[in-house]
Amino acid sequence: MKTQTLTRTATGLVVGALLLTGCGSSDSSSSSTTAAEKTTTTAPSLQIDDVWARQSPMGTSAGAVYLEITSPIDDELVGASVPTDIAGTTEIHETVMADEGEASTTEAMGDDDTSTTEMGGGDAMTMRPVESIELPAGETVKLAPGGYHIMLLDLVEPLEVGDTFEVTLSLQVAGDRTVTAEVREG
Amino acid sequence: MASPRDLTRTAALPAALLVAALLVAGVALAGCGSGSDAEGTTTTKADQIQGIVRDEPLQVGDLSLPEVAAGDTETPFAFRADDGKLLFVAFGYTNCPDVCPTTLYDIKKARKQLGADGDRVQVAFATVDPERDTADVMTQYLGSFATDGHPLRTDDPDQLHAAQDGFGVTSSVVKNADGSTDVSHSARSFVVDDQGDVVVEWSFGTGADVMASDLELLLAQQDGAS
Ligand SMILES: [Cu+2]
């Protein structure tokens, strides 16, 4: 995934805009300026990439939507919704360590020092609704497994690979944006 | 330009942009293609176990939970892999949209990466929320990740806790006044060998590549030992 950093840095808007086309799941208010005009001067627009939901395992009625969002200004994601034929309730959630304190990251890969760490149940996780997600200007905030997600409750039907559906994001400053989520295997 | 109506989708790109698109298409696709780049794992073949290995392995072979099947039949399932195999174990609940399916999908992918040896990795998933996770739900759910999986469920909290203690994990299920349920559980997963020893533990987000690499090494070790 070296390319990730590439896209996010200096190559800038042209690549950024094309990334959107690659995902087919974003909207941005940049419309018809040409690549040349866009290189340096134009203010960047709100960018929402890589919007996806996991295919529903059998037997569950809950789902999660993930995405990456970069706001050109300080903003906040304050709400999300999906059409009622997709899910009954939509909430913004965060997966967090269930116990405070000893939430140290003990993922020391293959290190011997792991034997000195207390390992009993220290990584219990839970999810909780959050009021909002901060979007600092220019920073790419990822909603990804193990962190933030848009929780879908009471799915009307299981989400299947290849399905797409609309997700409306409410931003404190920028207002509502509707993007398309794509269902993937995982 | 900012009216929502004007928000353009992909179709109206000028030709110049499309030319540029070809140049960076590789980049764009790489940026979008994979849903699970959060793990940031690499495919480099490691020569040592990357998960967590204890000096004194946990021994869980004498513990068991009921394995459920459609139609409410139950058979005791011991936490010990069949001869020459390894057993993956995770605790969770099916209404968990984030942590549990991520881990179960990773082990599914890891087994696939192992090719024929994938069959030498058994998969068990135990519910910490038996009230909502009925036998039928558990069977269906795990079937989405491993058709040969072992769904584990008990109505007896003591039995569940005994099993969790063996693995050093905890969980809690709290019902709220508004009807919602808060569940917390350890997001760690485990691999048990055919002696009932926990041979590696993986933190949440370890990813399929590291899992596959560890499993390959462990299977080879087990072959060498027998
Ligand atoms: Cu959630």
Side-chain angles (χ1 to χ4, degrees), chain A residues 93 127 149 151, chain B residues 97:
Chain A
H93 278 195
M127 52 179 192
H149 58 269
M151 174 92 174

Side-chain angles (χ1 to χ4, degrees), chain B residues 71-85:
Chain B
D72 284 335
T73 56
E74 289 187 5
T75 344
F77 180 85
F79 291 104
R80 180 190 294 268
D82 291 346
D83 275 353
K85 295 189 178 185

Side-chain angles (χ1 to χ4, degrees), chain A residues 13-153:
Chain A
L13 286 174
V14 175
V15 173
L18 291 165
L19 244 180
L20 300 188
T21 72
C23 300
S25 56
S26 292
D27 63 18
S28 85
S29 51
S30 69
S31 49
S32 55
T33 37
T34 68
E37 284 167 333
K38 291 224 74 168
T39 42
T40 47
T41 51
T42 318
S45 55
L46 179 68
Q47 197 170 309
I48 303 167
D49 296 324
D50 212 14
V51 189
W52 68 282
R54 190 190 308 276
Q55 176 185 31
S56 300
M58 296 280 287
T60 179
S61 63
V65 177
Y66 304 102
L67 52 85
E68 295 183 15
I69 182 166
T70 314
S71 170
I73 52 167
D74 286 339
D75 207 337
E76 270 178 78
L77 180 63
V78 293
S81 63
V82 298
T84 50
D85 61 353
I86 298 295
T89 310
T90 310
E91 296 174 351
I92 303 174
H93 278 195
E94 183 180 18
T95 294
V96 290
M97 292 312 216
D99 12 82
E100 310 285 30
E102 267 296 71
S104 58
T105 42
T106 51
E107 288 116 274
M109 291 295 189
D111 281 278
D112 286 333
D113 67 274
T114 47
S115 54
T116 59
T117 317
E118 185 51 59
M119 296 208 230
D123 56 356
M125 291 173 114
T126 189
M127 52 179 192
R128 63 175 184 211
V130 292
E131 299 265 291
S132 64
I133 298 174
E134 299 276 335
L135 304 174
E139 204 173 287
T140 298
V141 175
K142 283 189 179 190
L143 279 63
Y148 292 116
H149 58 269
I150 294 167
M151 174 92 174
L152 307 179
L153 291 154

Side-chain angles (χ1 to χ4, degrees), chain B residues 37-62:
Chain B
D37 55 42
E39 290 87 356
T41 53
T42 66
T43 47
T44 326
K45 280 274 178 288
D47 55 6
Q48 62 173 20
I49 304 291
Q50 297 169 76
I52 298 161
V53 180
R54 299 186 191 230
D55 293 340
E56 284 291 313
L58 297 171
Q59 295 180 316
V60 295
D62 292 336

